[in-house]
Amino acid sequence: MINIVCVACLFLANILLLRITKRFKIIGSSIIFLFIAVHVVLLVDSNKQVNNITSVSPDFKHVLSIKKNVESGSAVYYRSYFGILARPKDSLPAEIVGDFKVDWLAKDIAAVTYKTADNSIQQFIATYGDRGDGTSYYYVGAQIHGNWQGDNIKVVSNQEGISVTQANQTELFTWDTIEQFGTLAVVLKKNNEAAWTISLNENFEVDSAASQSNVGNIRLYKATLEENQPITLHYKSSN
């Protein structure tokens, strides 16, 4: 697309700035038409080989972009670099089967759920913001230390890990099975498969002072390819 726009602008500039004969205009137009036709064919062929997943954030400030190779099943996450231009940021692990499911957990957090070749459910979290001052890295698990309560669900973060209680059944995810994405979300895994994602809501305030209570909410999002909504949790007490 960039090549087509550049060549078209160059051709129009020559017509407007230079005295060109009618014969040259016809020849030049034919060359430009052929050039554009070839690039359109290449563009269509490229789209057949690559599945483009694009999603815009609710506030229209961020764009999630993932390119999946149809043959190999490999996928690459692209991050905006300059305007409409982007460059590869991360490669999603394992061979991916089927389509992606994308849900925005916040204006700057996108959860991507997909199935791999070994029939396991995985989640990749794209983050575009920060809940601190933006100058330091912090661990989400440490920031949500304590008890959190939602509609018929409870989350506890302590020294052992993060536990999720639903329908009187508790699952404990130790710290070595928890993967952090950026500074806004963690994915809880069981048997190398994603189970839940915990993200920091927009109103969450990161405070380095451990003695102070958490301010804001977190969201709990189940790893499933079925339609579901994130659950908002409120801070109840420290452990």
Side-chain angles (χ1 to χ4, degrees), residues 36-56:
I36 293 175
V38 170
H39 275 67
V40 169
V41 171
L42 293 174
L43 186 63
V44 172
D45 183 66
S46 175
N47 286 334
K48 291 181 180 180
Q49 299 177 14
V50 178
N51 183 16
N52 294 286
I53 296 90
T54 305
S55 180
V56 181

Side-chain angles (χ1 to χ4, degrees), residues 109-183:
I109 306 173
V112 182
T113 309
Y114 57 94
K115 181 178 289 187
T116 60
D118 61 359
N119 207 36
S120 66
I121 299 295
Q122 301 295 337
Q123 282 189 323
F124 176 85
I125 313 300
T127 62
Y128 302 90
D130 190 87
R131 299 294 181 261
D133 56 11
T135 61
S136 60
Y137 187 85
Y138 53 86
Y139 291 96
V140 173
Q143 293 297 325
I144 65 172
H145 186 85
N147 298 291
W148 300 81
Q149 187 70 47
D151 293 335
N152 300 318
I153 199 162
K154 179 181 179 182
V155 170
V156 177
S157 176
N158 54 30
Q159 291 83 357
E160 297 179 357
I162 298 177
S163 62
V164 179
T165 302
Q166 186 180 36
N168 295 323
Q169 293 185 345
T170 300
E171 285 184 291
L172 175 63
F173 302 89
T174 58
W175 291 114
D176 58 347
T177 63
I178 298 174
E179 182 179 5
Q180 177 158 324
F181 290 85
T183 57

Side-chain angles (χ1 to χ4, degrees), residues 204-217:
F204 192 96
E205 297 180 12
V206 169
D207 198 320
S208 59
S211 60
Q212 295 189 11
S213 301
N214 287 303
V215 177
N217 303 108

